[in-house]
Amino acid sequence: MTDRDPFAEGERAAREHIPAEANPYSDGSDEHALWAAGHEKAAGAIEAHESEGS
């Protein structure tokens, strides 16, 4: 079973430095929103870590 998880895909994309504009889902779809939320969560965590001076 290969159910896709758009939230996890968005998190992974942010960790791989893939821009939010690369969201592969149709704008306005639930998947698009989930992918964007995952990307934003991971990107925010990455930025917070980097701003700590590491």
Side-chain angles (χ1 to χ4, degrees):
M1 198 154 112
T2 59
D3 286 336
R4 296 177 73 167
D5 182 352
F7 189 86
E9 289 177 2
E11 288 181 310
R12 184 171 37 258
R15 287 192 301 270
E16 294 174 2
H17 305 289
I18 296 170
E21 294 79 24
N23 188 329
Y25 296 99
S26 299
D27 195 15
S29 68
D30 290 343
E31 291 85 0
H32 183 92
L34 286 167
W35 192 97
H39 191 280
E40 185 175 331
K41 178 185 174 207
I46 291 166
E47 287 178 16
H49 182 71
E50 288 174 353
S51 70
E52 290 175 353
S54 0

